[in-house]
Amino acid sequence: GTLIAAALGDGTASILGIKGRSISQRCRLSGGHSSSVASVLFPSFGSETSSNIAANDRLLVTGGSDGIMFWDIGSEVAGKNAVDPSTWLCCAPSSADNIAEDLSSLSLDEQKKKKKQPRNNENVGPRVLFGIGHGEKINTITSDDDRTLFVADT
């Protein structure tokens, strides 16, 4: 893809676009973490789609001291042909809300948890899909092609 992500100490992540020899910030993800983000990952797994842009171009995983967040960076950032990851993740949009609600250790805005899930063809901005609490500070996250995440913590 033409996107890269950076973990930031203020609890946000920055999505950067690369075009030729230029790099520019496309968006900044905030509201998911309450402390510094230590790791970001565009996972190597994705849906089995004929789209010319991989579904994982819209899925971003961030990890920090307060857990792991799964983000849909949206079609405004990834492009209108990128697939909405909530349509193929094991947690459907309705169950993703329930997971986030059950994680009392993560502070998600009520509006984000209750937000209507957009259709795949709508032009949408970034949003939190769900979070997973983790007892230790996340140092790095990686993935394999079989939809498995590996987390290294302290």
Side-chain angles (χ1 to χ4, degrees):
T2 60
L3 299 175
I4 57 175
L8 302 172
D10 64 358
T12 66
S14 181
I15 306 295
L16 307 166
I18 302 171
K19 188 171 184 177
R21 294 180 147 196
S22 298
I23 297 176
S24 62
Q25 182 170 287
R26 300 286 305 274
C27 75
R28 193 145 183 180
L29 305 176
S30 62
H33 291 279
S34 60
S35 62
S36 65
V37 177
S39 184
V40 292
L41 172 71
F42 285 105
S44 60
F45 50 80
S47 74
E48 312 212 352
T49 179
S50 61
S51 172
N52 61 346
I53 298 176
N56 55 344
D57 279 351
R58 268 184 71 168
L59 178 65
L60 180 74
V61 180
T62 59
S65 300
D66 57 354
I68 301 166
M69 301 301 294
F70 290 76
W71 301 81
D72 172 5
I73 64 169
S75 57
E76 289 177 355
V77 177
K80 66 179 182 174
N81 293 325
V83 177
D84 180 345
S86 67
T87 63
W88 58 268
L89 278 171
C90 65
C91 300
S94 60
S95 63
D97 286 341
N98 294 336
I99 290 170
E101 288 174 5
D102 291 341
L103 297 172
S104 59
S105 65
L106 294 177
S107 59
L108 296 175
D109 296 333
E110 286 297 317
Q111 294 174 354
K112 289 180 183 172
K113 289 190 287 185
K114 301 294 181 189
K115 194 177 202 180
K116 179 187 167 207
Q117 300 294 323
R119 293 186 190 127
N120 193 40
N121 60 353
E122 290 181 13
N123 196 23
V124 296
R127 63 193 167 120
V128 173
L129 293 173
F130 62 93
I132 300 173
H134 191 75
E136 303 292 330
K137 178 187 173 289
I138 306 294
N139 288 322
T140 190
I141 302 171
T142 190
S143 67
D144 66 10
D145 293 334
D146 293 326
R147 297 185 184 186
T148 303
L149 286 179
F150 300 95
V151 177
D153 58 35
T154 53

